[in-house]
Amino acid sequence: SREPGARVGGKIVKKSSAGHVHLSPALDSWWNNGLKAGRPFAIGPGLHWQFVWLAFTIAFYALLSLVFPGGIRRCGDVLVQRPGAVIGTSILTMLGLPVLFVLLIVSIIGIPVALLLLPTGVMLGVLFGQAALCGLVGRGVSNDRLHPVFAVLVGAVPFGLFALVPLAVIMLLGLASLLALGCVLTVLFAAE
């Protein structure tokens, strides 16, 4: 440590705050301003990439609602109309995915499915469901007067702001991801 205004004749080496692991300045800033406080999204020097990622994610949600407006609406509506089914599906999915993964790995033929298709399908399901949750919030705020794209954009604002709250964002992100996947699976497998 050095006093402000002190002159150093040699090279200044900044020790990483993550212990003995040396991180890049952006990752070190992310650790100090975000992860250390329990929030994966943080404001600080060198963290502009998080805002780019957030903007890209919200734009992707808006694109999904533009391409699949009916699906986004159905996924959001199923949470309101059948919350028990969505929560049950979410819990069963959380319990069943590891079992399905192991069964696919054990059957040699299922290895590509377990390593490629299953994670991709889950990730796409979560993204689609999160877009639906943002759309549901946006429709609720606007009394269902907005186009699905604008409803998703409006609904993403509270989630983005909530992401700055330490520790709460981890619980919210986990719960929202689980409910999002439950919404999508409930709509996919519900008897019409």
Side-chain angles (χ1 to χ4, degrees), residues 2 12 25 51 59 115 162 172:
R2 65 183 171 125
I12 298 174
F51 292 100
L115 296 178
F162 200 68
L172 175 73

Side-chain angles (χ1 to χ4, degrees), residues 68-87 128-146 148 151-152 179-180 182-188 190 192:
F68 306 107
I72 293 289
R73 179 176 282 280
R74 274 194 306 276
C75 283
D77 288 345
V78 77
L79 180 61
V80 174
Q81 296 165 356
R82 300 175 58 199
V86 171
I87 292 170
F128 194 88
Q130 287 177 343
L133 292 179
C134 288
L136 180 66
V137 170
R139 286 187 294 142
V141 168
S142 69
N143 291 327
D144 206 8
R145 288 186 296 225
L146 292 176
V152 166
L179 283 177
C183 289
V184 170
L185 291 175
T186 303
V187 167
L188 282 177
E192 291 293 325

Side-chain angles (χ1 to χ4, degrees), residues 8 11 24 30 32 57 60 62 72 92 96 111 113 123 135 144 154 162 174 180 188-189 191:
V8 178
K11 183 178 176 186
S24 69
W30 187 30
N32 283 327
T57 304
F60 183 70
I72 293 289
L92 288 175
I111 291 176
V113 174
M123 183 181 68
D144 206 8
V154 168
F162 200 68
L188 282 177
F189 296 113

Side-chain angles (χ1 to χ4, degrees), residues 52 66-67 84 122 126:
V52 172
L66 181 65
V67 176
V122 168
V126 167

Side-chain angles (χ1 to χ4, degrees), residues 90-104:
S90 299
I91 292 170
L92 288 175
T93 301
M94 184 177 63
L95 297 173
L97 275 176
V99 174
L100 178 61
F101 182 80
V102 169
L103 289 174
L104 287 170

Side-chain angles (χ1 to χ4, degrees), residues 4-53:
R7 300 192 77 178
V8 178
K11 183 178 176 186
I12 298 174
V13 177
K14 183 178 178 195
K15 184 179 175 186
S16 173
S17 52
H20 298 292
V21 178
H22 295 286
L23 302 172
S24 69
L27 289 176
D28 191 50
S29 179
W30 187 30
W31 172 257
N32 283 327
N33 298 309
L35 293 177
K36 207 174 186 181
R39 59 179 180 224
F41 189 80
I43 297 173
L47 296 178
H48 62 280
W49 60 271
Q50 289 186 324
F51 292 100
V52 172
W53 179 255

